[in-house]
C-alpha cells in the first residue's frame, strides 16, 4: 500500500471513529424521563427500565417551580422555568436545542393536541403565550386582563383539550378561559366569569371532556363541560369543609388528571387533612379519606388500584399509600427529608420519589413497597416520564 493510500485509510478510520463518538446511542424514547434538579438549573435524563441516569443537561435557569411537557414522539422535553425560560431539550442527544425567555415569572404550560403548539401560563406579566414547538417562535400572546382598569391576573391550571384548545384559570379574576387555537395566530377566546374565588389549579379529565378548577378562596370547585360549554360553569363540592376550621396552608395542592382512578377522582382538600373522593359520573362527593397531613399531590397508580399521597410542610417527609377498595391507608413510607414529587413507571410496577434535601430519587416497588433503586440527584423536584406525551392534560 502506498503512503498516500495508507494516510487516506487512516483518515477514513479516524472520521468513522469521530462519527461514531458523535452519534447518540440508538434507543427508543418510551423508556426515558426527566428529573428536575431545582437548585442547579439542570435536569437528569433517566431510563425507567434500567432505573439509571443516562445524561445531565445544564443551563436551564431557575427551576424552583419547573414543569415540562413532551413532544408527541417523546424525543423533546419542553421545560418551563420559574424565571420565564422555555427550553427545548433533546433527550437523545442530551442537549438544549433552543431556549427563550418568554416572561418574568412562569409556572408551567401545555402542548396542543396536534403537537405543534406550546402554551405557557405566566404569573408576570399575567397571561398565556403560545409558541411553535419546532422553533419556539411566539405565535400568540393573550394577556389575562380583567376589570375596568385592565389589571392582569396570574394564570393557573393551564391544560390542553381536544380540538387544539387550551383551558386556563385566572387566579385574581375568578374566571376560566377556553382558547381555540385552530387558527393559532387568531385564537378564539371564550371567557367564563364569576366561577368562584381564587382558582389555584386545574384538572382536565383523561378524555378531555371536563375541566375542574380548584378554589382556594372558598370551599368548592368549578366544573366546565367542554362538550357543552354553553351550559356554563357548575359549582361542585360546595362547602365541603363547612363546619370545620381550615388549617394554615403551607403549600398549595395540585390538581391534574393523575388523580383519576376508574370513575373516581381523588382530590386534596384545601386546608384539611383529607382526600375527597368524587364520582365523575355525577360529580358528587362519595367519600373522604382521612390522611395524616395536608395533601399536596394525590396520584393514582396507572391501574387505579392504589392512590399515593405526599404532603406539605411539616409532614413532607412521608408518603401514604391508599387502597382504593377499602379507602384506607395501607402503607406509610419515609423516603427522607422533603419529598417533592413522584411519578409512576408507565405500567405502574414502580414509582419514583424525589427527596430534595437528601439529594436522591428513590424507586419503590408498588406491590411490596421495597426500594428498588436509589439515584443521586441535586435537590430533585419534578419527575416526568415520556408516556405523558400520549396523554391529555399531562
Amino acid at each position: 500500500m502506498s503512503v498516500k493510500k495508507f494516510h487516506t485509510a487512516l483518515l477514513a478510520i479516524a472520521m468513522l471513529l469521530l462519527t461514531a463518538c458523535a452519534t447518540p446511542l440508538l434507543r427508543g424514547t418510551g423508556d426515558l424521563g426527566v428529573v428536575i434538579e431545582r437548585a442547579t438549573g439542570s435536569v437528569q435524563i433517566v431510563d425507567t427500565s434500567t432505573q439509571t441516569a443516562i445524561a445531565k443537561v445544564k443551563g436551564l435557569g431557575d427551576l424552583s417551580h419547573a414543569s415540562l411537557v413532551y413532544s408527541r414522539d417523546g424525543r423533546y422535553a419542553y421545560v418551563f422555568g420559574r424565571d420565564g425560560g422555555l427550553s427545548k431539550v433533546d433527550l437523545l442527544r442530551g442537549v438544549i436545542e433552543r431556549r427563550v425567555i418568554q416572561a418574568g415569572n412562569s409556572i408551567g404550560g401545555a402542548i396542543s393536541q396536534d403537537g405543534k403548539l406550546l402554551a405557557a401560563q405566566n404569573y408576570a406579566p399575567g397571561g398565556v403565550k403560545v409558541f411553535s414547538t419546532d422553533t419556539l417562535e411566539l405565535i400568540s400572546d393573550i394577556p389575562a386582563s380583567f376589570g375596568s382598569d385592565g389589571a392582569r391576573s396570574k394564570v393557573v391550571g393551564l391544560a390542553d383539550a381536544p380540538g387544539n384548545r387550551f383551558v386556563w384559570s385566572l387566579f385574581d379574576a375568578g374566571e376560566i378561559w377556553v382558547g381555540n387555537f385552530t387558527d393559532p395566530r387568531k385564537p378564539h377566546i371564550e371567557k367564563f366569569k364569576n366561577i368562584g374565588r381564587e382558582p389555584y389549579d386545574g384538572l382536565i379529565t383523561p378524555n378531555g371532556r371536563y375541566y375542574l378548577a380548584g378554589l382556594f378562596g372558598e370551599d368548592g370547585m368549578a366544573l366546565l363541560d367542554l362538550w357543552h360549554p354553553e351550559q356554563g360553569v357548575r359549582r361542585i363540592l360546595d362547602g365541603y369543609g363547612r363546619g370545620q376550621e381550615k388549617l394554615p396552608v403551607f403549600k398549595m395542592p395540585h390538581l391534574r388528571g393523575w388523580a383519576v382512578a376508574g370513575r373516581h377522582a381523588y382530590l386534596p382538600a384545601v386546608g384539611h387533612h383529607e382526600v375527597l373522593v368524587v364520582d365523575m359520573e355525577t360529580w358528587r362527593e362519595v367519600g373522604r379519606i382521612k390522611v395524616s397531613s395536608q395533601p399536596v399531590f394525590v396520584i393514582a397508580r396507572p391501574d387505579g388500584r392504589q392512590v399515593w399521597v405526599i404532603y406539605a410542610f411539616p409532614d413532607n417527609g412521608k408518603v401514604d399509600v391508599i387502597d382504593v377498595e377499602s379507602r384506607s391507608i395501607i402503607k406509610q413510607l419515609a423516603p427522607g427529608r422533603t419529598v417533592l414529587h413522584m411519578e409512576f413507571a408507565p405500567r405502574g410496577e414502580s414509582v419514583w420519589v424525589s427527596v430534595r434535601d437528601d439529594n436522591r430519587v428513590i424507586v419503590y416497588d408498588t406491590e411490596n413497597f421495597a426500594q428498588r433503586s436509589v439515584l443521586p440527584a441535586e435537590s430533585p423536584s419534578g419527575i416526568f416520564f415520556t408516556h405523558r406525551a400520549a396523554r391529555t392534560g399531562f
Side-chain angles (χ1 to χ4, degrees), residues 152-318:
R152 291 176 70 158
S153 170
K154 294 185 286 290
V155 171
V156 297
L158 177 66
D160 57 290
N164 260 26
R165 292 177 293 174
F166 294 111
V167 191
W168 61 91
S169 296
L170 277 60
F171 178 85
D172 304 286
E175 299 179 6
I176 294 173
W177 291 13
V178 181
N180 187 320
F181 288 82
T182 302
D183 182 350
R185 296 189 184 275
K186 297 179 180 179
H188 173 72
I189 310 297
E190 190 172 6
K191 302 177 182 180
F192 299 86
K193 301 185 178 184
N194 302 315
I195 67 162
R197 288 189 291 121
E198 298 176 341
Y200 63 85
D201 200 3
L203 175 158
I204 195 162
T205 53
N207 63 359
R209 176 172 180 176
Y210 294 101
Y211 177 82
L212 179 66
L215 301 176
F216 183 69
E218 53 193 280
D219 286 343
M221 298 187 178
L223 181 71
L224 178 63
D225 185 346
L226 295 173
W227 288 10
H228 299 287
E230 72 281 358
Q231 296 177 0
V233 173
R234 168 185 166 193
R235 287 294 300 274
I236 65 170
L237 306 179
D238 203 19
Y240 65 77
R242 186 176 289 121
Q244 301 178 36
E245 182 181 357
K246 184 180 284 191
L247 301 170
V249 177
F250 294 104
K251 184 174 176 62
M252 201 76 83
H254 288 258
L255 300 174
R256 287 287 149 172
W258 54 58
V260 172
R263 65 180 287 174
H264 295 119
Y266 295 80
L267 308 176
V270 178
H272 302 287
H273 294 181
E274 294 177 325
V275 170
L276 307 177
V277 185
V278 181
D279 187 326
M280 294 192 303
E281 295 292 326
T282 63
W283 290 105
R284 293 178 178 172
E285 180 186 328
V286 294
R288 296 188 185 197
I289 303 169
K290 294 287 186 181
V291 291
S292 50
S293 191
Q294 292 182 32
V296 174
F297 285 98
V298 179
I299 304 178
R301 199 171 75 178
D303 63 355
R305 185 70 176 85
Q306 298 170 352
V307 172
W308 290 52
V309 186
I310 60 178
Y311 298 101
F313 175 86
D315 297 306
N316 52 358
K318 59 188 177 184

Side-chain angles (χ1 to χ4, degrees), residues 316-318 334-340 354-360:
N316 52 358
K318 59 188 177 184
R337 299 171 296 163
T338 315
V339 174
L340 289 188
S354 63
V355 191
R356 184 193 66 192
D357 293 350
D358 291 328
N359 296 306
R360 63 186 182 183

